[in-house]
Amino acid sequence: MYSTTDQPFSPKHEEDDFTCLIEQTVETMDAELRGFLIKRNISEEFIQKLENEKIDASVIPVMTDADLAKYIPKAGDRIATVAFCRHNNSSLDTKSRKQTMLTRLRQRLVSGEAPVPAKRKQWAGKTSAKKQERRVELGWMDFDGKQKRYRQVKAINGGGTRHLIISKDKTVVEIKEMAENLFFPDGFSKGKRKLSYYSTEIESSQVQVSSSCTVDDLYEESRVKILRLYLRTKIRKVELSSDEEEAEMQLTSTPVVDLTGSEPHYSTDVQGINDMVHQEIDFEIIIGAMANDGVQLDDTLPWNDQPPHGLGEPQPAPWNDQPPHGLGELQPATWNDQPPHGLGEPQPALVTEPWNDQTMDEPAPVTLIIRRGHCLTDLIKAFTNPDILNTEVFIKMRLPNGKLEEGEGSGVTRDCLTEFWTDFYERCTLGGNVKVPFIRHDYQSEEWQAIARILVVGWRIARYFPVKLAAPFLEEALYATSTSSLKDTFLQYVSEQEREVLVKALEDFNSVDTDALFDALEAHECQQVPTKDNLIPLLSQMGHKALIQAPMYVIKCWRPIVVHLASVLPQDALHHVIQQKTPTGKAVKEFLQFPDEMTPPQTAVACYLKRYVGEVDLSTLQLFLRFCTGSNLMEQTIKIQFIETSNFERRPQSHTCGCLLKLPVGYHNYPDLRSDFNSLLTSSVWVMDII
């Protein structure tokens, strides 16, 4: 636009040139106005009339609408033209702006640098105004010996991103010490990995890091908005003394119990420090096929709660519906290791299973590898060991093809417990709406006691409770007495057709079909002829027989174990727990948590989801809850997140550990959403692949 000549520099010559430049700019703006009017389909006659009367872009904004209508007939064109002229004239409509432009261009031409604003000049040289602290993001990357590369440790395993505000004078050495304290509190990581076995350093993908650099130096060199650093760790080989080697050998002699038929064995091979750290100090129970599949225990989600530091005398615990805070809620006692006596013998004094005081400070973790589709048999085998009550139980699932599911955490645990109790209802109980265990020849005291331990541990780690079991049966097992109505529970125990006949007989005995009433009572071995006067006590007696007398052997097997649960679940709270955890359409709608702000398509999909939850039956509603949370009970709030997908990829997704439901917004009507959910929930093929 402007070029210098060989003539000597002259301020007057410079000003004339810049004045010419501004005039050329104005002429260019008039040409742009002509082009704008042509685009607005203004006729050439009106455009020529404007040019003849010398009405340019600087005059149009100050003209009245009536005067401008002589040249531009349409009101919309006039408004657009005025706006265009005002926008283009904003930098050249006053003399002061012209002079300012000349001054700035002159300063840049002479000095070669842009002028410094006056406000910045005011603070020049005053270092006290600078920030003394800077924000830093800190992460942890651990070296993977198998993949031969560093991998970021996720927050669920004790890593994640930590946001710090630290002094800008902190050195890299001090930052490394802070990172070690963050990721290895008291010298151990969340996965019980010892810091002394690692070599550590601070690295960044944004800038080259040296030990002498400060935070301010790194910011100056990287010029990033937020500095991100990583603590990189790698196992180093350490020479151990004879005493330390013996201690490490004891720690690495991890028992592996194969419950498919082989005896428990101990690995006596001394592993390297790398293997010892990555395997964690615990033992693993392998259930089912492919027990030697090379499963690493560091894939197991660590237990977050802190165990108690000792157990005192048993104390009554007030009821609360909060998640457990450790094993201290359960009461210690001693177990006589004898099966329950026969029904005709006097009941022995109640004794409970042992709680090892030696291990309560640091309960040993145990990882159960359960085959998908065989939760009932595999869990019963795992829980036949009474010592499992003194451990922290983690669960991983093995697929039918022999591979382990990638998913882990609380969602997998809830899903496994849900599958176990669903199979238990189908194969080990009798009843309609409520269930009662029945005696099987292949289930002896060992198996029934294992099921009781699953009930206790399931409540402890996931607050899962088998709400379909009849309340009188549970009360007799937990509290040795029953206060629930036997008649009302028995009506829920019988089939739906029998219940209709019995309810009609209670309402109007004379109008009921006598043959149908006799058939309903005969199916449950009634020994008396029913009448209007004796029907209610007759139903109570039959309820006592079916709900308490028949499963008494199971009750006696359970009672020494579930007494631990009775200490934290008072009898008056039992019905509240059952009612609270039993799903209903209305309750599930209240558990759905949608975003605070939603677009119209998201609002429509949210209405479709509420309608679906309100329409489906109880079994489908339980499948919906299991898909979203891993449990078929009312456990936690379900967070809804809307996602954009193509029509081909459109399907609901869920993260059971976080109780998160990802819902596509591409549903334009309710039947499409209903069809996708029904197909998904009835497929019974859900693979946990989110770590």
Side-chain angles (χ1 to χ4, degrees):
M1 294 176 61
Y2 174 75
S3 61
T4 58
T5 63
D6 295 335
Q7 298 179 358
F9 174 78
S10 171
K12 177 63 177 174
H13 180 263
E14 176 199 12
E15 183 173 353
D16 293 341
D17 286 345
F18 280 116
T19 302
C20 180
L21 176 63
I22 298 300
E23 291 175 351
Q24 292 176 1
T25 304
V26 174
E27 292 176 359
T28 302
M29 292 175 57
D30 290 338
E32 291 178 354
L33 174 61
R34 180 182 180 86
F36 175 79
L37 294 176
I38 293 174
K39 288 182 179 180
R40 298 292 299 188
N41 295 324
I42 306 299
S43 65
E44 184 65 27
E45 178 184 357
F46 290 114
I47 296 176
Q48 191 65 36
K49 188 176 181 180
L50 285 171
E51 292 177 349
N52 293 338
E53 297 185 14
K54 296 182 179 181
I55 299 176
D56 55 12
S58 61
V59 178
I60 289 178
V62 298
M63 294 177 63
T64 63
D65 186 70
D67 294 337
L68 190 58
K70 299 176 182 178
Y71 309 97
I72 304 176
K74 295 182 179 180
D77 293 336
R78 294 196 297 273
I79 295 174
T81 303
V82 171
F84 174 81
C85 294
R86 285 177 178 173
H87 175 73
N88 286 2
N89 291 338
S90 60
S91 60
L92 296 172
D93 55 354
T94 61
K95 183 179 180 180
S96 61
R97 291 184 180 274
K98 177 180 176 181
Q99 294 298 330
T100 301
M101 181 182 295
L102 290 172
T103 303
R104 289 180 179 176
L105 292 175
R106 187 182 297 111
Q107 289 179 357
R108 182 169 294 185
L109 181 66
V110 174
S111 62
E113 297 180 357
V116 180
K119 189 173 183 180
R120 190 177 300 178
K121 289 181 179 179
Q122 180 182 358
W123 297 103
K126 296 184 179 181
T127 59
S128 60
K130 293 184 178 180
K131 293 181 178 180
Q132 301 301 317
E133 294 179 335
R134 300 299 298 267
R135 292 179 56 193
V136 175
E137 292 182 350
L138 199 58
W140 175 18
M141 299 188 71
D142 188 31
F143 185 77
D144 190 333
K146 292 184 178 180
Q147 300 185 9
K148 303 299 181 183
R149 65 184 182 91
Y150 285 94
R151 297 182 61 184
Q152 185 173 359
V153 181
K154 298 184 178 181
I156 198 171
N157 294 322
T161 302
R162 312 297 174 91
H163 302 271
L164 308 177
I165 299 178
I166 59 178
S167 172
K168 66 178 183 180
D169 297 327
K170 289 282 187 181
T171 63
V172 173
V173 176
E174 294 174 313
I175 295 175
K176 185 177 77 168
E177 183 178 354
M178 294 173 60
E180 291 173 351
N181 293 332
L182 282 173
F183 298 115
F184 293 86
D186 299 327
F188 289 90
S189 69
K190 190 175 182 181
K192 299 182 182 178
R193 304 178 184 181
K194 197 172 183 179
L195 177 62
S196 59
Y197 295 137
Y198 287 92
S199 60
T200 59
E201 60 179 351
I202 294 293
E203 291 293 340
S204 174
S205 60
Q206 301 167 332
V207 65
Q208 187 69 26
V209 178
S210 63
S211 59
S212 60
C213 291
T214 64
V215 174
D216 196 35
D217 296 337
L218 296 177
Y219 263 105
E220 287 294 330
E221 184 176 352
S222 62
R223 297 290 181 177
V224 294
K225 186 175 181 180
I226 297 180
L227 182 65
R228 185 176 182 87
L229 302 175
Y230 290 96
L231 175 69
R232 297 209 306 183
T233 58
K234 186 176 182 180
I235 297 295
R236 59 186 178 187
K237 294 185 178 180
V238 183
E239 295 294 334
L240 300 178
S241 64
S242 58
D243 295 339
E244 292 175 337
E245 187 174 355
E246 182 179 357
E248 296 298 336
M249 185 173 181
Q250 293 177 359
L251 290 177
T252 55
S253 298
T254 304
V256 179
V257 183
D258 188 350
L259 299 179
T260 59
S262 59
E263 294 295 329
H265 63 277
Y266 293 82
S267 173
T268 57
D269 296 334
V270 180
Q271 304 292 333
I273 299 300
N274 187 16
D275 296 336
M276 187 276 296
V277 174
H278 281 280
Q279 284 184 354
E280 297 186 356
I281 306 171
D282 59 1
F283 64 96
E284 176 183 2
I285 297 178
I286 307 294
I287 302 175
M290 302 187 194
N292 55 352
D293 209 16
V295 181
Q296 290 189 2
L297 296 185
D298 59 348
D299 292 336
T300 303
L301 178 64
W303 178 256
N304 291 329
D305 293 345
Q306 298 296 326
H309 296 285
L311 291 176
E313 295 297 326
Q315 298 292 336
W319 159 250
N320 64 78
D321 195 33
Q322 299 301 322
H325 296 284
L327 302 179
E329 296 175 346
L330 307 180
Q331 300 179 3
T334 56
W335 165 246
N336 63 354
D337 201 23
Q338 297 295 328
H341 291 224
L343 299 180
E345 301 179 11
Q347 183 176 349
L350 181 62
V351 286
T352 59
E353 291 199 345
W355 288 80
N356 191 347
D357 292 341
Q358 302 297 327
T359 60
M360 288 306 292
D361 289 335
E362 295 183 2
V366 54
T367 301
L368 306 181
I369 309 299
I370 307 298
R371 294 173 295 170
R372 177 71 69 180
H374 296 79
C375 288
L376 180 65
T377 56
D378 289 355
L379 278 180
I380 289 177
K381 289 180 181 179
F383 279 80
T384 52
N385 182 8
D387 293 334
I388 200 169
L389 292 175
N390 297 321
T391 62
E392 296 179 8
V393 179
F394 307 117
I395 294 177
K396 288 185 69 68
M397 303 297 292
R398 190 187 297 279
L399 295 173
N401 60 6
K403 295 183 179 180
L404 286 176
E405 287 184 350
E406 295 182 1
E408 58 185 37
S410 59
V412 177
T413 301
R414 290 193 295 266
D415 183 74
C416 181
L417 292 171
T418 300
E419 183 176 334
F420 170 83
W421 287 107
T422 302
D423 291 346
F424 178 79
Y425 296 146
E426 294 293 330
R427 299 168 59 182
C428 301
T429 64
L430 297 174
N433 292 342
V434 297
K435 306 289 186 178
V436 172
F438 78 99
I439 304 301
R440 296 172 47 137
H441 70 87
D442 55 341
Y443 276 42
Q444 301 300 313
S445 61
E446 186 180 26
E447 285 76 18
W448 290 117
Q449 291 163 9
I451 296 172
R453 297 186 192 102
I454 296 172
L455 171 60
V456 174
V457 174
W459 172 265
R460 188 184 71 196
I461 65 177
R463 280 294 189 261
Y464 192 96
F465 194 80
V467 296
K468 277 194 173 184
L469 293 180
F473 166 80
L474 290 171
E475 290 175 339
E476 194 68 30
L478 289 167
Y479 316 110
T481 181
S482 175
T483 59
S484 299
S485 172
L486 294 172
K487 174 182 69 69
D488 294 341
T489 309
F490 180 72
L491 290 175
Q492 297 298 318
Y493 172 80
V494 299
S495 66
E496 184 176 356
Q497 293 180 350
E498 294 172 344
R499 181 164 54 253
E500 292 178 357
V501 173
L502 295 176
V503 170
K504 187 175 182 180
L506 290 172
E507 294 175 352
D508 187 1
F509 186 84
N510 296 326
S511 63
V512 69
D513 186 355
T514 305
D515 292 337
L517 178 60
F518 285 171
D519 290 341
L521 296 178
E522 185 180 1
H524 300 278
E525 301 178 357
C526 178
Q527 303 297 324
Q528 297 182 15
V529 177
T531 64
K532 181 178 181 181
D533 297 330
N534 71 353
L535 183 59
I536 293 179
L538 189 61
L539 293 178
S540 298
Q541 294 170 6
M542 295 175 64
H544 189 273
K545 171 185 174 295
L547 305 175
I548 297 179
Q549 295 180 26
M552 182 55 68
Y553 180 79
V554 178
I555 292 174
K556 290 185 177 182
C557 288
W558 283 23
R559 191 173 289 166
I561 302 170
V562 298
V563 67
H564 300 296
L565 181 58
S567 64
V568 296
L569 182 61
Q571 188 169 2
D572 55 355
L574 180 62
H575 288 277
H576 172 73
V577 171
I578 295 175
Q579 182 180 5
Q580 185 184 49
K581 291 185 175 293
T582 302
T584 62
K586 180 180 179 182
V588 173
K589 285 182 183 180
E590 296 176 354
F591 268 52
L592 299 177
Q593 182 179 347
F594 296 94
D596 295 334
E597 297 182 359
M598 295 187 293
T599 62
Q602 293 174 351
T603 303
V605 175
C607 293
Y608 298 156
L609 180 62
K610 291 180 180 179
R611 180 178 176 181
Y612 178 78
V613 169
E615 285 185 358
V616 297
D617 56 13
L618 179 59
S619 60
T620 307
L621 191 61
Q622 290 175 335
L623 289 174
F624 173 80
L625 288 174
R626 183 180 177 185
F627 176 75
C628 297
T629 67
S631 172
N632 58 359
L633 305 180
M634 300 288 293
E635 298 288 350
Q636 301 181 27
T637 300
I638 301 174
K639 300 178 182 178
I640 308 299
Q641 177 182 344
F642 293 99
I643 57 175
E644 297 284 348
T645 60
S646 63
N647 289 335
F648 179 76
E649 297 176 342
R650 187 187 68 186
R651 62 179 178 85
Q653 306 171 24
S654 67
H655 294 180
T656 56
C657 287
C659 300
L660 175 66
L661 175 61
K662 292 185 176 181
L663 204 58
V665 295
Y667 292 109
H668 302 295
N669 54 68
Y670 170 67
D672 287 345
L673 181 139
R674 180 182 58 191
S675 176
D676 283 359
F677 264 110
N678 288 340
S679 300
L680 181 65
L681 298 180
T682 56
S683 65
S684 300
V685 182
W686 304 338
V687 177
M688 304 287 186
D689 57 357
I690 303 297
I691 300 179

